[in-house]
Amino acid sequence: MAFIPHTADDVREMLDTIGVASIEQLFDEIPAALRAGPLTGIPAALSEMQIGRLMSERAARDGRPLNFIGAGAYEHHIPAAVWAITTRGEIYTAYTPYQAEASQGTLQTIYEYQTMIANLTAMEVSNASLYDGASGLAEACLMAVRANRRSKAARILMPRAVNPTYRKCVEAIASNQGLIFEEVPFDPATGQTALDALARFEGEDITAIVIQQPNFFGVLEDVDSLTEWGHAHGALVIAAVNPTSLALLKPPGEWGAKGVDIAVGEGQPLGVPLCSGGPYFGFMATRMEHVRQMPGRIVGRTLDLDGRPGFTLTLQAREQHIRRGKATSNICTNQGLLMTAATIYLAIVGPEGLERVASASMVRTTELASAVSTIPGVHAAFSAPHFHEVLLRLDRPVGPVLDELAAQGIAGGYDASRDYPELGPVLLVCATETKTCDDIETYAKALAAALGAPRAT
Amino acid sequence: MSNNLPAELRYTKTHEWVRRNSDGTVTIGITDHAQHALGDIVFAETPESGRALAAGDACAVVESVKAASDVYSPLAGTVVAGNAALADAPEKINTDPYGEGWLWQLTPADVGAVDALLDAAGYQSVLAESEE
Amino acid sequence: MTSTPISAVVAPREPTIFDLSRPGRCAQAQLPPALAADIPAALRRRRRPLLPEVSELQAVRHYTRLSQLNFSIDTHFYPLGSCTMKYNPRGCNQYAMLPEFLGRHPLAPAVQGQGYLACMHELQEMLKEVTGMQGVSLTPMAGAQGEFAGVAMIRAYHHARGDFERTEVIVPEAAHGTNPATATMCGMKVIEIPCNADGDCDIEALRKVVGPRTAGIMLTNPSTLGVFERHIAELRALVHDAGGLLYYDGANLNAILGKVRPGDMGFDVIHMNLHKTFSTPHGGGGPGAGAVGVAARLLPYLPIPVVGREGDKYRYLEERDLPQSIGRLSGFMGNAGVLLRAYIYMRMIGREGMQRIGEYATLNANYLQARFRQEGFELAYPSRRATHEFILTMKHSARDLGVTAMDFAKRLLDFGYHAPTTYFPLLVPECLLIEPTETEAKEALDGFVGAMVAIKKEAAVDAARLKGAPHTLPVRRLDDVRAAKQLDLIWKPAA
């Protein structure tokens, strides 16, 4: 029996101690009619050797395509030490640090993580992480409704240029509590959220405005003007940011005159593998004045009985296990393992490394855009500056082009026309520091071939 | 069990106390029993002045390390002020629940409603019942 | 406020990574080429973020040392009730971390993911089989999100029938705090009902509150009190007859795995904690995975994406396939890597192993319970069988000696055992909720009983020793009042 250590003698002794004749007798409180039959739908057990072979075959079917997809998850180099340490048993198999004295490793790591996130975003406090960027934005919207006491409307401005899956996720999670989301269009020429479109909300009760930087198209928003508009209209400002980009871009805590109120984002780019979408982690930071409205775990530094510094979960009275129906959220977990990987990643790459990763990603994407711009039928969709993604407009439907690239071992980008039919056939592509000039050349050739166009040089 | 129940105050089943002031306002806090049950109080949130309350509105929160509790307004009325000193010293609720640990001051819509609340003996019997 | 500056006290076991930082130091081997990016001046960051500047070795040594300050399943017995801290097989980790799986982009086309999608589809099918449900979605990222999905589906079901009056969710008072928190997040009103002295739900109390406003009831069975809810059939009939649905919180699924299926008990929707029952690691507080299963009438509302199969091809079912879905709960499809680990685990356990899990988890719990009874400890529900867990109450030791459940818990750490769950469920005073799981050998259980007996003796002669515990860990008991009042949540350089 896999992972059950009992010998026949053990079982006999244990049953004698309990005073029953069989294991079966231990289930005698369960009505007989409810008892399950054999689980015929479950296959017979495999040994580790057998499952290893099966999984290797499955993995080989997926292959290792040359990846140019971003759209919310980004391929970056991960130092080998990150996961070598993160998968140590003392981290990998530890429980939530409720017993602080037996969890100082986890707790101090969270404290260091909170510091890194607060510094990256230029905010005052961070929590210990949320599930992912999309659900983190939903939590931020719910938090804004609690924190903005002047507003009664629970009404949130959500630009159409925000990641479409984030918008769907926010709707699914937050609308059950009566939040209303108003779409703000983007400028079809620049790809930036249209400031003049905010005029129609003049004088209305707006609880919060969401600003994604860079937005889903990779385009850089005019974050100062949007933040100022929000604060001038009594709204809280929620920033959804890419953490890598913060090495180069003005952090949310410095947007506008006084910075945003809540900053969230997808933490995956910080040392977490793509892995088909998870597990990732969401980060969240805010101002001290809103800390009690922030969901999720928070660690604080304190002293023990001997006056030695130590770390413990704090502000737990906000959480579901104490406040039950009145908690800030039903969230129990943070993404401890991923948050640990991100902390080690940031410690190893440091400020210099993160800046280089961000710059190299941005430069490679610019090179990619320039390499494909010579292909007939391929145009940059927007004029505004971008970070490490660009939206390309093609002269034919994107799906078959991607199929063609896939056949050549290339994951060729994201078909954004599914979410933005008004833009016609548009392809979102991304290059990071992991892509070489040769990779970009390979991509440009393959795209030209897929479009049936000889590549102009 | 703490039996510190000043006779001049009125009480509620949800462990608030009410004091009538000479200027027609009332002062509200939580009882010694309540602060004792919560343990070390680390945070208190009180209602802002000018807020109109109905009787039974949850309008303040007191938090200890292990618990958080809503405080309900025993009376309808308008808030005169919350106790700002609690922001820096929430432990006053533990050390002086009927004095410096007060939560908010209220102008009641109907001063007579104070008399309808429990007196010390009435609250004492509520506590005795919950002990059983 | 008394304020001792933290820098002025006893040195910590391990400084923070920021204390190790020196300007200009870096991990050279990890740096990509320095390329100049062209950022508009108004959008540029002015000052570098304060991040550690350390060598690779310093980082490796620091986080390795921090890890050594932790208890974990790999190093310690963890009898943590309701958390199912069983062995996390290393093979599950190794084969989920094959480079092709790690490198796959979530939006890569299905043709570049048939291996992964096949695993996910088979996982859905296996979970249906062990729970007796008709459909499964793997997307919820934790138990609490699974709960959210479950209650949101119940709401969507009533709304689709034009029934908008059902706004109440009934929750037994013994329930985990997430149940009422979830109901609130779904815009529902929570109605609590009591349990009777034997730990079963109070059916009469239920009868009084169930009615046309009832959206559903959320139950854990076995309950958080460590006993099987014996009146489940009656309870189901009451709620179903009133038009409500039954939600099964899978926190305690390990107890009945292979023995009773929630679907056969009449539940309409369940969530499963794959990080408990199916042994994916807890990772110091996540990631979990909270797959949901549904009866036929809730199939249209499953959260998306779900993995579908057409012939021998797999693909995600999305908005156009499930237009009535409650929607998306994550950026992609939940904690895929956790799901792979659960898949590998289930394949290694197999059909017969699956039935053994509930049996041996129950055997271990009942053995421990019997041993504690022999040693004179007080059981909270002495007349009941233990399920996969049971409760001791320390109320007499608290009253007579001033030694609380918390003191026992902290002292156990000195003996090398992680503490059981303390002060949950809230109904039982001074409780220790103990769950040994099936993967512990008899020797580990006997050792744990031995430690508890030694502590009990100590309580009678030297209570102060317990009150001051732990004595041998990296820190002693921490001042959590100070932590909450003098918030120190991020490291700041010395002024």
Side-chain angles (χ1 to χ4, degrees):
Chain A
M1 285 176 289
F3 316 121
I4 295 177
H6 301 61
T7 66
D9 286 346
D10 289 339
V11 173
R12 212 166 22 248
E13 277 180 53
M14 293 168 83
L15 290 174
D16 287 348
T17 303
I18 301 167
V20 292
S22 66
I23 292 180
E24 202 44 48
Q25 209 181 327
L26 298 174
F27 292 89
D28 58 8
E29 289 190 359
I30 300 179
L34 293 178
R35 297 294 299 276
L39 302 170
T40 50
I42 307 284
L46 299 178
S47 68
E48 187 177 289
M49 180 176 75
Q50 290 169 316
I51 188 75
R53 180 149 185 179
L54 175 72
M55 295 309 286
S56 299
E57 285 164 11
R58 295 266 165 97
R61 285 177 71 187
D62 292 356
R64 302 187 71 179
L66 187 61
N67 176 53
F68 289 90
I69 314 175
Y74 301 96
E75 182 180 1
H76 291 291
H77 168 69
I78 302 173
V82 171
W83 282 88
I85 297 173
T86 303
T87 53
R88 283 178 66 92
E90 300 95 322
I91 297 171
Y92 185 76
T93 73
Y95 187 66
T96 302
Y98 289 133
Q99 291 293 336
E101 301 87 350
S103 314
Q104 285 296 299
T106 295
L107 288 162
Q108 183 172 334
T109 304
I110 295 174
Y111 180 83
E112 293 180 4
Y113 162 86
Q114 288 172 180
T115 306
M116 292 177 185
I117 293 298
N119 291 348
L120 260 184
T121 55
M123 303 296 289
E124 290 169 339
V125 287
S126 157
N127 71 8
S129 75
L130 299 166
Y131 303 131
D132 74 349
S135 61
L137 182 57
E139 290 283 3
C141 292
L142 293 169
M143 174 178 161
V145 171
R146 293 190 296 270
N148 189 345
R149 307 217 172 159
R150 286 186 310 261
S151 168
K152 304 288 172 227
R155 192 153 167 249
I156 293 184
L157 300 188
M158 180 70 80
R160 188 164 167 76
V162 169
N163 184 320
T165 309
Y166 283 27
R167 286 185 279 134
K168 287 178 193 162
C169 182
V170 167
E171 187 79 35
I173 292 174
S175 62
N176 281 328
Q177 290 182 69
L179 272 66
I180 300 158
F181 296 94
E182 303 277 2
E183 191 170 280
V184 183
F186 56 85
D187 181 321
T190 63
Q192 289 172 316
T193 296
L195 267 168
D196 52 9
L198 292 171
R200 67 169 267 240
F201 300 105
E202 226 33 78
E204 295 179 15
D205 181 354
I206 303 295
T207 310
I209 177 170
V210 174
I211 307 169
Q212 189 178 22
Q213 178 78 323
N215 71 23
F216 184 65
F217 309 126
V219 163
L220 299 181
E221 296 277 13
D222 180 357
V223 290
D224 290 327
S225 302
L226 290 168
T227 302
E228 284 307 286
W229 189 93
H231 283 156
H233 292 78
L236 295 189
V237 177
I238 301 169
V241 288
N242 176 313
T244 310
S245 77
L246 294 179
L248 297 178
L249 299 179
K250 186 187 277 189
E254 296 174 9
W255 294 0
K258 59 182 194 115
V260 307
D261 302 281
I262 306 169
V264 290
E266 173 55 68
Q268 175 275 330
L270 304 175
V272 177
L274 292 171
C275 196
S276 289
Y280 296 169
F281 70 95
F283 59 87
M284 176 181 269
T286 188
R287 302 169 185 279
M288 191 54 104
E289 64 182 284
H290 298 314
V291 69
R292 282 189 159 72
Q293 303 304 334
M294 183 159 60
R297 294 181 183 135
I298 300 174
V299 168
R301 184 160 63 162
T302 184
L303 299 175
D304 76 357
L305 282 175
D306 296 336
R308 184 188 295 276
F311 301 88
T312 184
L313 292 170
T314 191
L315 297 177
Q316 294 190 74
R318 302 163 298 116
E319 294 186 61
Q320 48 74 30
H321 62 281
I322 291 178
R323 294 229 81 189
R324 300 174 73 84
K326 287 178 173 163
T328 51
S329 167
N330 74 345
I331 197 165
C332 310
T333 183
N334 59 332
Q335 299 279 99
L337 201 66
L338 297 314
M339 174 224 84
T340 302
T343 307
I344 302 172
Y345 174 87
L346 284 172
I348 290 179
V349 302
E352 170 74 19
L354 195 67
E355 192 174 308
R356 287 211 200 177
V357 168
S359 309
S361 300
M362 193 170 158
V363 169
R364 292 293 181 240
T365 296
T366 304
E367 289 169 0
L368 178 74
S370 140
V372 298
S373 68
T374 58
I375 303 170
V378 181
H379 300 280
F382 297 126
S383 61
H386 58 79
F387 177 53
H388 66 0
E389 262 174 301
V390 286
L391 191 70
L392 303 174
R393 182 170 284 125
L394 305 186
D395 63 358
R396 71 196 72 183
V398 174
V401 175
L402 287 178
D403 291 343
E404 192 68 28
L405 291 171
Q408 297 176 56
I410 294 172
Y414 176 71
D415 180 0
S417 50
R418 299 200 301 189
D419 307 294
Y420 298 95
E422 72 272 26
L423 293 176
V426 281
L427 173 64
L428 188 64
V429 293
C430 168
T432 64
E433 87 284 5
T434 60
K435 297 296 167 290
T436 63
C437 297
D438 285 350
D439 294 335
I440 288 167
E441 183 66 23
T442 302
Y443 182 82
K445 277 188 181 150
L447 181 61
L451 291 169
R455 193 181 162 214
T457 47
Chain B
M1 188 42 59
S2 154
N3 284 317
N4 178 9
L5 297 175
E8 72 277 18
L9 303 183
R10 293 285 167 155
Y11 300 89
T12 68
K13 284 183 179 172
T14 47
H15 312 292
E16 291 88 9
W17 56 260
V18 178
R19 170 182 290 121
R20 287 179 81 149
N21 303 321
S22 54
D23 61 358
T25 65
V26 298
T27 302
I28 294 162
I30 64 168
T31 63
D32 191 39
H33 169 84
Q35 71 77 15
H36 199 263
L38 281 164
D40 289 321
I41 289 167
V42 296
F43 178 72
E45 189 181 278
T46 56
E48 61 273 30
S49 58
R51 180 164 159 197
L53 297 176
D57 276 2
C59 59
V61 179
V62 287
E63 234 182 72
S64 68
V65 174
K66 302 274 183 251
S69 183
D70 286 319
V71 186
Y72 304 94
S73 186
L75 302 163
T78 306
V79 178
V80 178
N83 184 356
L86 297 178
D88 286 328
E91 66 275 10
K92 286 183 196 292
I93 299 170
N94 295 119
T95 55
D96 190 7
Y98 301 112
E100 288 190 357
W102 63 278
L103 290 174
W104 73 95
Q105 205 186 342
L106 187 82
T107 306
D110 170 16
V111 181
V114 177
D115 298 326
L117 299 172
L118 298 170
D119 61 10
Y123 180 60
Q124 179 68 55
S125 53
V126 169
L127 292 182
E129 266 170 48
S130 67
E131 275 289 275
E132 280 165 17
Chain C
M1 220 167 358
T2 57
S3 174
T4 317
I6 279 195
S7 55
V9 292
V10 191
R13 298 281 167 179
E14 175 69 14
T16 73
I17 191 79
F18 296 95
D19 294 307
L20 301 172
S21 178
R22 296 293 177 272
R25 194 175 279 156
C26 65
Q28 201 68 38
Q30 306 300 341
L31 298 183
L35 304 176
D38 183 21
I39 310 258
L43 296 177
R44 208 178 293 149
R45 186 170 192 131
R46 291 187 294 267
R47 284 182 310 276
R48 272 191 170 175
L50 179 65
L51 293 175
E53 297 180 76
V54 296
S55 72
E56 189 168 322
L57 171 59
Q58 284 179 306
V60 166
R61 189 173 286 159
H62 173 70
Y63 291 105
T64 301
R65 282 186 178 174
L66 283 188
S67 79
Q68 291 170 333
L69 304 181
N70 275 359
F71 276 36
S72 67
I73 299 175
D74 282 4
T75 53
H76 295 83
F77 175 42
Y78 244 89
L80 197 59
S82 106
C83 300
T84 313
M85 298 297 283
K86 59 168 89 173
Y87 173 55
N88 306 141
R90 279 280 154 185
C92 300
N93 184 53
Q94 178 163 326
Y95 295 116
M97 291 190 77
L98 292 173
E100 292 85 350
F101 292 138
L102 290 187
R104 183 174 181 276
H105 194 285
L107 298 169
V111 294
Q112 291 166 336
Q114 289 297 300
Y116 158 72
L117 290 170
C119 295
M120 294 299 100
H121 190 266
E122 289 170 21
L123 176 59
Q124 287 174 188
E125 294 301 309
M126 287 192 291
L127 291 174
K128 276 158 65 176
E129 175 76 8
V130 292
T131 60
M133 306 308 285
Q134 299 301 309
V136 162
S137 167
L138 301 170
T139 64
M141 292 179 284
Q145 233 200 10
E147 283 183 34
F148 175 86
V151 178
M153 284 191 273
I154 289 174
R155 180 181 149 116
Y157 168 82
H158 291 309
H159 284 193
R161 293 156 51 93
D163 187 346
F164 296 94
E165 301 302 310
R166 295 186 181 273
T167 53
E168 293 177 355
V169 168
I170 302 168
V171 176
E173 61 183 353
H176 196 269
T178 45
N179 292 169
T182 298
T184 305
M185 266 194 105
C186 289
M188 297 282 183
K189 188 173 163 212
V190 178
I191 309 287
E192 293 207 350
I193 55 167
C195 299
N196 64 26
D198 282 339
D200 290 318
C201 268
D202 183 338
I203 296 279
E204 287 316 308
L206 175 62
R207 212 183 295 281
K208 283 188 195 126
V209 298
V210 76
R213 304 186 64 81
T214 303
I217 184 168
M218 300 180 82
L219 285 176
T220 313
N221 196 14
S223 76
T224 55
L225 303 177
V227 295
F228 190 85
E229 174 59 63
R230 290 173 292 193
H231 307 304
I232 183 64
E234 200 179 344
L235 217 147
R236 163 181 60 178
L238 257 177
V239 176
H240 276 168
D241 290 350
L245 300 189
L246 271 77
Y247 180 91
Y248 181 84
D249 177 330
N252 294 339
L253 186 60
N254 213 54
I256 55 166
L257 197 64
K259 306 308 273 183
V260 187
R261 305 193 306 168
D264 300 338
M265 286 191 270
F267 284 95
D268 299 286
V269 51
I270 77 168
H271 88 265
M272 298 155 259
N273 293 303
L274 303 186
H275 49 285
K276 296 182 182 177
T277 319
F278 301 107
S279 199
T280 67
H282 283 74
V292 284
V294 292
R297 57 178 154 177
L298 291 179
L299 280 171
Y301 311 106
L302 279 172
I304 48 177
V306 175
V307 180
R309 177 181 181 161
E310 287 153 1
D312 59 351
K313 295 272 193 298
Y314 300 92
R315 71 171 178 88
Y316 285 137
L317 305 180
E318 303 186 309
E319 285 82 355
R320 65 195 149 101
D321 306 292
L322 286 165
Q324 289 180 281
S325 163
I326 58 160
R328 291 177 184 267
L329 302 175
S330 70
F332 300 101
M333 85 143 273
N335 287 335
V338 178
L339 300 171
L340 274 174
R341 285 168 176 79
Y343 170 75
I344 296 165
Y345 176 77
M346 290 184 86
R347 294 298 309 265
M348 289 175 84
I349 293 297
R351 184 186 310 138
E352 290 185 3
M354 213 68 79
Q355 300 195 290
R356 297 288 170 265
I357 288 177
E359 291 176 358
Y360 283 80
T362 302
L363 174 66
N364 274 1
N366 278 280
Y367 172 71
L368 263 187
Q369 175 172 270
R371 289 284 296 115
F372 279 119
R373 196 196 302 259
Q374 285 174 348
E375 299 292 351
F377 284 86
E378 189 177 353
L379 302 170
Y381 297 97
S383 68
R384 299 293 304 266
R385 292 258 187 248
T387 55
H388 65 315
E389 63 189 358
F390 62 95
I391 302 174
L392 297 181
T393 171
M394 300 292 154
K395 65 183 177 199
H396 287 107
S397 130
R399 192 189 61 201
D400 302 339
L401 305 169
V403 174
T404 62
M406 181 62 76
D407 299 326
F408 269 84
K410 297 298 184 193
R411 188 67 176 130
L412 271 170
L413 303 175
D414 282 328
F415 283 77
Y417 293 94
H418 193 279
T421 299
T422 48
Y423 301 102
F424 179 83
L426 307 169
L427 286 186
V428 181
E430 296 299 331
C431 67
L432 294 173
L433 178 62
I434 298 171
E435 176 182 9
T437 83
E438 74 280 6
T439 60
E440 293 298 333
K442 179 171 175 295
E443 300 89 298
L445 307 182
D446 290 335
F448 174 63
V449 174
M452 286 288 285
V453 169
I455 295 170
K456 193 172 154 209
K457 283 185 185 142
E458 201 174 55
V461 297
D462 188 5
R465 182 92 183 133
L466 268 76
K467 304 298 289 180
H471 300 280
T472 59
L473 272 74
V475 292
R476 297 190 56 210
R477 254 184 251 194
L478 291 155
D479 182 351
D480 41 14
V481 173
R482 179 191 171 109
K485 278 168 70 174
Q486 295 169 240
L487 289 176
D488 174 357
L489 308 179
I490 66 171
W491 183 90
K492 294 199 173 79

